[in-house]
Amino acid sequence: MAAQFGRRLRRGATSGAIVAAAVAALAASQGPGAIPPPTDNLSGDSAIGAGDATEPAGGIGDGSATGDSPYYTDLPPLNTPNRPGALPTAPQVPIVTGPAEAGIPATVLAAYRRAEASVRASDPSCNLPWQLLAGIGKVESGQARGGRVDGNGTTLSPILGPVLNGVGFANISDTDDGAFDGDATHDRAVGPMQFIPSTWATWGQDANGDGKKDPNNIYDAAQAAGMYLCAGGRNLAIKADLDRAILSYNRSTEYLTTVLSWFEYYGRGTHTVPDGTGLLPVDRSDRPAPGRPLRPTESGSPSPTPAPERPSPRPTPSPTVPSKPAEPAKPPVTEPSRPPVAKPVEVPPTLRVSRLKAGTAVLTTVTESTFAEAATVTAVDASGRPVAGVSVRFELPATTDARFPAGATTVTVTTGADGVAEAPALRAGEKAEPFTVRATVPGRSLPAAELKATVEVRKAGALARVGDADLTAAPGAGYADVTVEARLDGALAAGVTVTAVVTDAEDSAEQSADGPSLGKDAAGNPIRTKVLKTDDRGRVSIKDLVAGEKAGSYVLLLTAPGGGTAKLTLTVSAPATTPPASPDPTGSPDPAPTADPSPTASGSASASPTASPSPSA
């Protein structure tokens, strides 16, 4: 009856009795006032995020967990399935109604309840009910094919939707190299909650603690579905948010109505049935024709439940009366079957975290030094209790040159028994500035904890010259090397920035235009200002001081952060001058020398200091 009623509802039956029955059974199930897709399940997407279900259908990324894959459209039974005025059902299809419809396989139900508890602990404002997960699980996979799962919650065989190759469905190219769906060309919806691989890559969880995020595991899939439905700050106790959450799973108003009907049905009561015995749905959105059965080989879909055989009529007893009534046979005593108990699964620590509390340590150091205090945060649950075993990622901003060990800008550590995660030692770079360390829980959308850090410049309270060599040089000549020692509170100060400037006077800090230089730049121009840094002994040396061309006294001014100052006098001596020739005491000029006109034997003329007059003319 439920499957046929669902088919009549989809085919647009206008019978007043059917419409009235549907409204009574699906109260408050109307979809939001969004524009629905033009055709159900024909425009799927890869859905890397929760998305806003009110967005129009379109290309990849519009927000659908399943890629708008087909789903089961069977509706739960009405309170009065054979009410007067209902249309006759032909052909009559035997189905199980009543309590069997409300039964949920033991492991599947345990997974839904576990997911609800986990999400309520980590995101209490979402108000996730497990009945919503049960409604989606019923519509997507018939509760994992009636609970055909092993003791760990993994389906006995993969549950796969049809190939999303654009033929009757969305066209979604492969995103997982076939790792989850076995198809390296196109994607397919996978598992009891029917996630497509690209959505699972973002929302997949390891809720049963086996070290794997498996979409075919009901614990993992139910946990992921709960977090997906709560994304974007939704409050599922609000009707509009509830509708948007369901439509983000599959963008179809009929899907919304079907899920809501099961959600409300399970909300009125349910019970546990043994794994593997759950009632299988019959009708799917991609095969709506009446009477067409499911084929077991298609898309990993479960086979329909066979119709129960009708018992043969009992023969009429003989009118003869036996001499002695036969003693009725006693039925065999059998132990009542007990539903299997699902293995309890602890909620993963990462999912129990409600927030991260920043530590109170003051993070301060000087440039190129290790911070004395470590960055720490405490993971707590909704009750404020610490949570151990939580992965916490510490991240540095791009603006700072501070680094974790090995030059890392991000590190991930795990909280201890006290819920505290402590980042490894952080070392400052050359930049003196404040910055913020952010701590987050990977895979969760919790607000980041922020820890303020400050890097200050190294300081020196005193600068003093080492040595007393004379600092006098002739124009263009070099000076003796100058060495200065920096100290802070009496201790040698290494790594301190010292600024050296040549000035014209002791009371000036302005750079001289003519004084000695501290070397030359690439263009050959004199340098009269230079920034230096003290070595590990707290010393800095100036080795290339050269006197200028202008004689006089100049000052080499050295300063450091913290108030350290030194002033050294540089003297440029005057250039040496040539003394003038001495005058003749007689006052007459010296006679000019005369040359000997006679040639020498070598043919050259010889000069004589005095010339003798010729004896005769």
Side-chain angles (χ1 to χ4, degrees):
M1 177 69 182
Q4 292 178 349
F5 177 74
R7 287 193 290 269
R8 289 198 300 274
L9 186 61
R10 286 191 307 278
R11 293 165 55 192
T14 58
S15 166
I18 291 180
V19 172
V23 171
L26 307 178
S29 298
Q30 292 82 4
I35 300 175
T39 305
D40 286 346
N41 310 313
L42 298 180
S43 57
D45 56 35
S46 64
I48 62 173
D52 186 347
T54 63
E55 295 176 359
I60 293 176
D62 289 338
S64 165
T66 65
D68 295 339
S69 294
Y71 56 90
Y72 289 108
T73 57
D74 296 40
L75 294 174
L78 300 176
N79 292 332
T80 53
N82 296 315
R83 63 190 306 170
L87 295 179
T89 57
Q92 185 70 31
V93 179
I95 61 172
V96 179
T97 60
E101 291 279 358
I104 298 178
T107 298
V108 177
L109 180 58
Y112 295 152
R113 291 183 180 275
R114 179 71 65 183
E116 178 197 59
S118 173
V119 173
R120 283 183 179 269
S122 62
D123 188 4
S125 63
C126 175
N127 295 303
L128 173 72
W130 68 260
Q131 291 89 346
L132 177 59
L133 298 175
I136 292 177
K138 177 71 173 182
V139 170
E140 293 294 347
S141 68
Q143 311 297 19
R145 293 179 179 154
R148 296 183 64 229
V149 296
D150 61 20
N152 199 37
T154 303
T155 57
L156 300 181
S157 59
I159 300 178
L160 300 174
V163 177
L164 299 177
N165 57 5
V167 181
F169 309 107
N171 187 356
I172 303 179
S173 298
D174 174 69
T175 60
D176 66 333
D177 293 328
F180 293 121
D181 57 12
D183 191 327
T185 304
H186 293 88
D187 273 349
R188 304 173 71 175
V190 182
M193 304 304 280
Q194 288 289 279
F195 282 99
I196 55 175
S198 57
T199 311
W200 185 257
T202 299
W203 295 94
Q205 301 294 317
D206 176 20
N208 64 350
D210 63 356
K212 298 183 295 183
K213 297 179 180 180
D214 185 0
N216 281 300
N217 182 277
I218 185 59
Y219 288 105
D220 294 358
Q223 180 72 55
M227 296 179 66
Y228 180 91
L229 293 167
C230 289
R234 295 192 185 102
N235 179 358
L236 301 184
I238 299 174
K239 184 62 167 62
D241 279 5
L242 175 65
D243 289 349
R244 277 192 290 268
I246 298 172
L247 286 171
S248 76
Y249 221 87
N250 190 310
R251 298 168 304 174
S252 161
T253 51
E254 182 185 357
Y255 181 87
L256 171 67
T257 300
T258 307
V259 169
L260 283 174
S261 67
W262 284 105
F263 168 48
E264 294 164 1
Y265 181 74
Y266 289 136
R268 294 192 293 269
T270 186
H271 59 274
T272 303
V273 299
D275 288 347
T277 66
L279 183 65
L280 296 178
V282 175
D283 201 9
R284 289 205 319 176
S285 61
D286 59 336
R287 291 198 297 273
R292 179 179 177 183
L294 291 176
R295 292 177 296 192
T297 58
E298 283 194 25
S299 308
S301 302
S303 301
T305 304
E309 296 182 1
R310 297 179 180 272
S312 301
R314 304 180 67 178
T316 303
S318 171
T320 58
V321 178
S323 59
K324 183 179 180 180
E327 184 176 347
K330 294 182 179 181
V333 178
T334 59
E335 288 290 331
S337 61
R338 297 180 179 179
V341 179
K343 178 182 177 181
V345 178
E346 291 295 329
V347 177
T350 298
L351 300 177
R352 289 192 284 122
V353 178
S354 177
R355 63 189 179 98
L356 295 177
K357 295 169 53 180
T360 58
V362 178
L363 305 179
T364 303
T365 192
V366 295
T367 54
E368 299 181 286
S369 296
T370 300
F371 284 81
E373 299 289 340
T376 61
V377 296
T378 303
V380 297
D381 62 16
S383 301
R385 294 187 296 268
V387 182
V390 178
S391 294
V392 177
R393 180 168 57 213
F394 293 90
E395 182 176 1
L396 300 175
T399 55
T400 184
D401 58 355
R403 293 293 182 266
F404 292 114
T409 57
T410 61
V411 292
T412 301
V413 297
T414 303
T415 58
D418 56 357
V420 175
E422 179 176 310
L426 180 62
R427 184 173 178 81
E430 296 181 349
K431 291 183 179 180
E433 61 182 1
F435 63 90
T436 301
V437 182
R438 299 178 75 253
T440 58
V441 178
R444 296 293 307 279
S445 58
L446 301 176
E450 296 187 343
L451 301 99
K452 303 298 182 182
T454 302
V455 179
E456 300 176 345
V457 296
R458 291 173 176 262
K459 298 178 180 179
L463 296 176
R465 184 186 177 195
V466 178
D468 56 359
D470 183 49
L471 297 179
T472 300
Y479 289 92
D481 292 349
V482 174
T483 300
V484 175
E485 189 175 79
R487 288 181 178 271
L488 180 64
D489 298 330
L492 294 173
V496 176
T497 298
V498 176
T499 303
V501 181
V502 176
T503 69
D504 290 327
E506 186 172 338
D507 58 353
S508 173
E510 297 294 328
Q511 175 180 290
S512 172
D514 303 306
S517 66
L518 301 165
K520 293 186 177 182
D521 60 19
N525 300 314
I527 299 172
R528 295 189 173 93
T529 298
K530 182 176 285 188
V531 178
L532 307 167
K533 184 178 291 186
T534 59
D535 59 19
D536 56 1
R537 297 185 301 164
R539 294 185 174 186
V540 61
S541 295
I542 303 173
K543 299 179 179 295
D544 45 6
L545 266 172
V546 178
E549 298 298 328
K550 185 177 180 180
S553 292
Y554 301 89
V555 175
L556 176 60
L557 175 63
L558 299 109
T559 58
T565 303
K567 297 179 180 180
L568 309 178
T569 300
L570 304 175
T571 302
V572 180
S573 61
T577 59
T578 304
S582 300
D584 188 346
T586 64
S588 60
D590 291 337
T594 58
D596 187 357
S598 59
T600 63
S602 62
S604 61
S606 62
S608 175
T610 59
S612 299
S614 176
S616 61

